[in-house]
Amino acid sequence: MKKGCLVFLLLTFYSNFSFGQFLPETPSRPKMAIVTVKQPLIIIGSLETNHHSLILDRSNLKIIKTYTDSLELVPFGEKGQGGIILAQLQTNIPLLRLDEVLDYYKIPASDRTLKVMVDNNLVNPDLFLADVSRIIKIEKTKQAITSPFLYSLNKDEEYLNIITQKD
C-alpha cells in the first residue's frame, strides 16, 4: 500500500514538472478547453433539433421513443451519436427556424451573421427551433466575462442573445 502511494505521488509530481517549465496562469494567457458533448438529436415530426437549440414549453413535448443502442443509431450517422429522441407536440403550435424568428423580430441583415445564444448559451443555428411566444426579446450582446465558458478569445465579439421565458 505504501509503495503504491509513493508511486502515485511520484507520478503526480513528475507529470506536473517534467514536461517543461511550469508557468502560472496569467491574464494574458487564459486557460481554455474545447469540450464537445454529444447531445441527443430530438426529432419532432420532420424537424431536427437538440435540447439547447429548442425553445419550447417542455410540458408541450411528448416523448414517443428514445434510441440509445448503437445499432439503432447507425442509420442516423454522426448526428445520432448522442442518441435520438422521437417526440411530438401536445398542442398544435408553429415552431420556427432561426431565419423565421429573426424575420419575426425584424433583426437587420448585418446582425444575422453573428453567432446565436439562447439565454447566454451558444446554440447550433442549424438545429434552432422555437415557439416565438416563449421569446421575450432578442438583443445584441457580448459574452459576460464571468461566464463559465468562453466561446471566443475575442472579448469584443458580439452575439445575438435570445432571451426566453423561464419555466
Side-chain angles (χ1 to χ4, degrees):
M1 177 74 176
K2 288 181 183 179
K3 189 175 184 180
C5 289
L6 181 62
V7 169
F8 175 75
L9 289 173
L10 286 174
L11 286 174
T12 303
F13 180 78
Y14 179 77
S15 67
N16 285 336
F17 296 103
S18 66
F19 296 112
Q21 183 180 359
F22 175 74
L23 296 174
E25 191 173 323
T26 62
S28 63
R29 221 175 51 84
K31 192 180 227 179
M32 285 196 62
I34 297 174
V35 179
T36 304
V37 177
K38 295 289 184 185
Q39 294 183 36
L41 184 68
I42 301 171
I43 301 175
I44 304 170
S46 63
L47 303 171
E48 295 179 352
T49 187
N50 63 29
H51 175 72
H52 294 298
S53 302
L54 178 63
I55 300 174
L56 180 69
D57 179 3
R58 301 293 187 219
S59 65
N60 193 17
L61 195 64
K62 179 182 177 185
I63 306 295
I64 299 171
K65 185 162 180 155
T66 303
Y67 296 99
T68 55
D69 181 29
S70 58
L71 291 176
E72 294 176 323
L73 299 174
V74 170
F76 296 100
E78 187 178 320
K79 63 183 175 182
Q81 286 181 345
I84 302 288
I85 298 172
L86 294 179
Q88 67 183 25
L89 298 177
Q90 300 275 18
T91 60
N92 191 16
I93 57 167
L95 295 176
L96 304 180
R97 287 289 182 195
L98 181 60
D99 286 338
E100 297 168 314
V101 171
L102 297 179
D103 288 342
Y104 182 86
Y105 281 90
K106 298 178 176 56
I107 302 299
S110 59
D111 292 343
R112 291 179 183 230
T113 59
L114 298 175
K115 293 178 184 172
V116 177
M117 299 169 87
V118 172
D119 296 325
N120 292 312
N121 294 305
L122 197 64
V123 298
N124 182 341
D126 297 330
L127 295 177
F128 183 87
L129 198 58
D131 168 9
V132 290
S133 69
R134 304 285 302 166
I135 297 174
I136 297 172
K137 66 180 177 177
I138 300 177
E139 62 186 10
K140 192 161 55 167
T141 187
K142 295 179 183 175
Q143 184 176 1
I145 197 160
T146 58
S147 176
F149 303 105
L150 289 178
Y151 299 124
S152 171
L153 288 176
N154 178 1
K155 64 180 176 139
D156 296 323
E157 184 170 357
E158 294 183 314
Y159 300 87
L160 278 181
N161 187 29
I162 300 172
I163 310 294
T164 64
Q165 297 175 8
K166 305 296 178 223
D167 290 328

